[in-house]
């Protein structure tokens, strides 16, 4: 039964703490912080104030964690029916829906105040905007209605780039906008391979992820298109004067390997390969490595110019 409360005796303190941490989806937040901190180095053109980095990371974790908790509260009905989400805290009853809702709202309010009072209010509003976009626009409006859900809903995951820049400068510039666009075009080809792997889960609960409503060939073609645009956009930082040779070299090499994997997936899809031989998760795993390498290069590049 969805969200069935366990008695206190069956909800030990340690397990409860782990459950509340799980509500924040730490592995996803790690990726968001990987795109936040390096941009702070780029904005500073060196090492930013470390206390500012810490406050930005704590605020970012709280904000994203609040968004993820609220996402689980809203999606608890379908989470109970999907294999990949069947052990989430609301499904197992380790956390009640009321507790989850209160936890998510508390994190949202606390993170906004933390950003506003210790970093700056531009970062606070961007952080709150990302949270509201993820919860309201993606989770409540787009996710169950359109196969373009992850395309536009992914905007929430792009905003940490802007937050990293604004936390240092209290302003905006073309550099974070370009990196925002890199993440925007990265998100669909990052998530669609995973959706291909678990499309039966999404189909079972009526969530129209692109692989549910389109063939593997169509999905792979879209992945290739987004991948080419992503790599092209990633190369704009150098001619605009924001980065030097190191970032450009990493962007070219990592982007080139990405395109190799994307076209490989497309070729297998065209050949109507299915099952394990489709190897769609190779691109998913590489996408995480790619964004990590790219943003490490963003952080290192100012020291090599």
């Amino acid at each position: 039964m969805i969200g069935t409360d366990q008695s206190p005796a069956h909800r030990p303190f340690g397990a409860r703490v782990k459950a509340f941490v799980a509500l924040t989806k730490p592995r996803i937040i790690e990726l968001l912080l990987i795109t936040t901190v390096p941009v702070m180095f780029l904005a500073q053109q060196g090492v930013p104030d470390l206390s500012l980095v810490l406050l930005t990371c704590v605020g970012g974790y709280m904000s994203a964690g609040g968004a993820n908790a609220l996402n689980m509260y809203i999606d608890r009905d379908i989470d109970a029916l999907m294999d990949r989400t069947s052990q989430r805290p609301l499904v197992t009853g380790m956390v009640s829906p009321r507790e989850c809702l209160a936890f998510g709202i508390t994190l949202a309010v606390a993170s906004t105040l933390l950003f506003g009072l210790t970093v700056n209010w531009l970062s606070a509003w961007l952080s709150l905007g990302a949270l509201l976009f993820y919860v309201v626009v993606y989770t409540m409006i787009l996710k169950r209605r359109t196969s373009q859900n992850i395309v536009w809903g992914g905007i929430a995951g792009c905003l940490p780039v802007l937050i990293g820049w604004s936390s240092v400068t209290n302003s905006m510039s073309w550099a974070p906008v370009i990196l925002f666009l890199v993440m925007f075009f990265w998100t669909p080809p990052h998530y669609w391979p995973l959706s291909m792997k678990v499309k039966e889960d999404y189909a079972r609960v009526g969530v129209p992820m692109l692989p549910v409503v389109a063939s593997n060939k169509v999905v792979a073609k879209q992945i290739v298109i987004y991948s080419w645009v992503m790599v092209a956009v990633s190369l704009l930082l150098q001619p605009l004067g924001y980065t030097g040779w190191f970032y450009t070299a990493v962007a070219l090499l990592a982007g080139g390997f990405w395109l190799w994997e994307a076209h490989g997936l497309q070729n297998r899809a065209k050949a109507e390969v299915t099952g394990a031989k489709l190897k769609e998760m190779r691109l998913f795993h590489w996408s995480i490595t790619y964004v990590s390498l790219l943003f490490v290069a963003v952080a290192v590049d100012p020291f090599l110019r």
Side-chain angles (χ1 to χ4, degrees):
M1 184 177 293
I2 300 172
T4 300
D5 290 343
Q6 298 181 11
S7 67
H10 292 91
R11 298 197 295 174
F13 178 76
R16 291 266 286 162
V17 171
K18 287 181 63 177
F20 276 98
V21 172
L23 288 176
T24 67
K25 301 182 184 178
R27 293 184 66 183
I28 293 177
I29 295 179
E30 287 175 13
L31 195 59
L32 297 179
L33 294 180
I34 285 173
T35 65
T36 303
V37 176
V39 177
M40 299 179 72
F41 280 76
L42 181 63
Q44 187 67 45
Q45 284 296 299
V47 181
D49 182 270
L50 296 182
S51 63
L52 181 64
V53 174
L54 178 61
L55 289 167
T56 302
C57 287
V58 172
Y61 190 102
M62 292 170 62
S63 179
N68 289 330
L70 293 171
N71 167 267
M72 286 197 198
Y73 173 80
I74 295 165
D75 277 351
R76 63 192 186 279
D77 58 334
I78 60 175
D79 282 349
L81 303 175
M82 296 175 63
D83 292 338
R84 61 185 290 266
T85 56
S86 61
Q87 295 304 307
R88 285 181 172 174
L90 286 179
V91 180
T92 63
M94 190 59 67
V95 177
S96 72
R98 180 178 297 179
E99 290 171 331
C100 179
L101 179 61
F103 181 63
I105 293 174
T106 300
L107 285 179
V109 173
S111 63
T112 303
L113 291 175
L114 178 66
F115 265 120
L117 297 174
T118 65
V119 180
N120 57 60
W121 284 104
L122 175 58
S123 298
W125 300 133
L126 286 170
S127 175
L128 180 61
L131 183 150
L132 292 175
F133 197 95
Y134 183 68
V135 174
V136 178
V137 177
Y138 172 66
T139 307
M140 297 178 68
I141 299 175
L142 297 176
K143 184 173 182 178
R144 307 191 195 197
R145 288 181 171 87
T146 172
S147 62
Q148 294 297 298
N149 47 20
I150 201 65
V151 176
W152 301 107
I155 288 174
C158 306
L159 286 171
V161 173
L162 304 184
I163 294 168
W165 186 275
S166 67
S167 67
V168 173
T169 67
N170 197 21
S171 66
M172 277 295 107
S173 175
W174 280 111
V177 171
I178 290 169
L179 291 170
F180 173 97
L181 291 173
V182 170
M183 294 305 297
F184 177 80
F185 291 109
W186 170 88
T187 302
H190 157 70
Y191 200 79
W192 280 334
L194 175 62
S195 300
M196 294 169 79
K197 179 75 172 179
V198 298
K199 64 181 179 181
E200 291 183 5
D201 251 2
Y202 284 118
R204 186 183 310 125
V205 297
V207 174
M209 290 294 179
L210 185 62
V212 173
V213 300
S215 68
N216 286 344
K217 287 190 286 187
V218 171
V219 177
K221 180 180 179 181
Q222 290 296 309
I223 286 173
V224 167
I225 292 171
Y226 274 89
S227 298
W228 272 100
V229 177
M230 176 197 72
V231 173
V233 172
S234 74
L235 298 174
L236 293 177
L237 285 177
Q238 197 275 336
L240 291 177
Y242 290 107
T243 57
W245 68 269
F246 181 74
Y247 168 84
T248 303
V250 172
L252 281 169
L253 291 173
F257 190 77
W258 176 298
L259 293 173
W260 174 270
E261 287 289 346
H263 279 279
L265 176 59
Q266 184 182 36
N267 290 336
R268 292 189 294 275
K270 284 182 176 179
E272 298 185 353
V273 173
T274 58
K277 292 183 179 180
L278 184 60
K279 300 178 181 177
E280 66 281 304
M281 292 299 287
R282 282 177 52 169
L283 183 58
F284 173 78
H285 291 305
W286 171 250
S287 69
I288 298 172
T289 303
Y290 168 83
V291 81
S292 301
L293 290 173
L294 192 74
F295 278 85
V296 166
V298 166
V300 172
D301 189 86
F303 300 98
L304 301 177
R305 299 184 68 186

